[in-house]
């Protein structure tokens, strides 16, 4: 097995498995890049492409900005939700790819009187993976909250009394409905962005710029 070594000729792209990988494939194709192994069936974390100088790292969605910030990947694709929690340090964010579209929302149990709870000024217990976004949202509203950090299955928290509300991404609303929850506030629209390491953009601009432009053209279709 060859060792992993980034050099000035090579481009390393960080992607997460699932919807972001699937939705980025057509954009890569538009730039002439085909990923030649499937991350759902391969156990490899570094995937080859048809271009020997371009490889794809498969990482957790929340880790994509970290790999790109530190230059372990030259560029990546990450949701706005993930980027807001990360803070965006060291990242150039040239384009909204309009993929993995959803919204960040506040949800509570059916039957919970959210408006009254907020009006009465009692502290609201909010469970979420998105603590920075939740903190900013409730601070702007002047609502006092106790934030409970979770890493997944947020919908469970109000059902078992861990929290009064959750902040999570919603698309069809199916997960909320299946768990007897209702959306009470939409905080912001979410989509995924192309992110580029700032140093790589300077050092590898000749290689990166045509890919950025191809992504931009393809994502507008
Ligand atoms: P991690 O693996 O780090 O826990 P994750 O499970 O949230 O992350 P994905 O489910 O692949 O990772 O989501 C990737 C991105 O897709 C999210 O950051 C968000 O921007 C967006 N997303 C999440 N859920 C949906 C959805 N139901 N519909 C559309 N886009 C979504
Ligand atoms: C996301 C999110 C919600 C769900 C919302 O989960 O955490 O649970 O999508 O989508 P909906 O409104 O269409 O039901 P995802 O499907 O990514 O599962 P995961 O968090 O386990 O990856």
């Amino acid at each position: 097995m060859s060792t992993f070594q980034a050099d000035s000729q090579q481009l390393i792209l960080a992607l997460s498995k699932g919807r972001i990988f699937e939705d980025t494939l057509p954009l890569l194709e538009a730039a002439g890049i085909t990923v030649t192994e499937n991350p759902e069936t391969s156990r490899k974390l570094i995937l080859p492409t048809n271009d020997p100088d371009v490889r794809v790292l498969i990482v957790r969605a929340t880790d994509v900005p970290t790999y790109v910030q530190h230059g372990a990947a030259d560029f990546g694709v990450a949701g706005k939700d993930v980027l807001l929690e990360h803070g965006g340090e060291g990242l150039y964010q040239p384009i909204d790819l309009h993929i993995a579209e959803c919204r960040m929302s506040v949800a509570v149990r059916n039957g919970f009187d959210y408006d009254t709870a907020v009006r009465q000024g009692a502290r609201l217990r909010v469970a979420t993976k998105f603590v920075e976004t939740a903190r900013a949202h409730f601070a702007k509203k002047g609502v006092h909250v106790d934030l409970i950090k979770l890493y997944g299955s947020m919908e469970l928290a109000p059902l078992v009394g861990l929290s009064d509300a959750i902040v999570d991404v919603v698309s069809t609303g199916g997960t909320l409905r299946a768990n007897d929850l209702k959306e009470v506030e939409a905080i912001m629209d979410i989509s995924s962005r192309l992110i580029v390491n700032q140093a790589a953009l300077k050092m590898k601009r000749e290689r990166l710029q045509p890919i950025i432009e191809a992504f931009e053209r393809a994502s507008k279709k």
Side-chain angles (χ1 to χ4, degrees), residues 24-34 210-211 213-219 221:
T24 303
L25 282 185
L27 305 178
L28 283 169
E29 291 286 347
I33 300 165
T34 305
I211 299 176
E213 283 168 14
F215 272 38
E216 189 167 23
R217 279 193 302 274
S219 67
K221 278 180 194 160

Side-chain angles (χ1 to χ4, degrees), residues 19 102-103 129-130 151-155 168-176:
R19 58 173 65 84
C102 51
R103 59 190 179 275
K129 185 159 112 175
F130 308 102
Y151 293 86
S153 302
M154 265 82 80
E155 293 85 1
D168 194 7
V169 294
V170 178
S171 176
T172 61
T175 308
L176 293 182

Side-chain angles (χ1 to χ4, degrees), residues 20 77-83 95-103 188-194:
I20 286 189
V77 176
K80 183 178 174 184
D81 49 335
V82 165
L83 289 166
I95 17 174
D96 180 351
L97 300 172
H98 300 290
I99 61 172
E101 289 182 311
C102 51
R103 59 190 179 275
M188 68 178 81
D189 288 332
I190 299 289
S191 57
S192 285
R193 317 291 157 119
L194 180 65

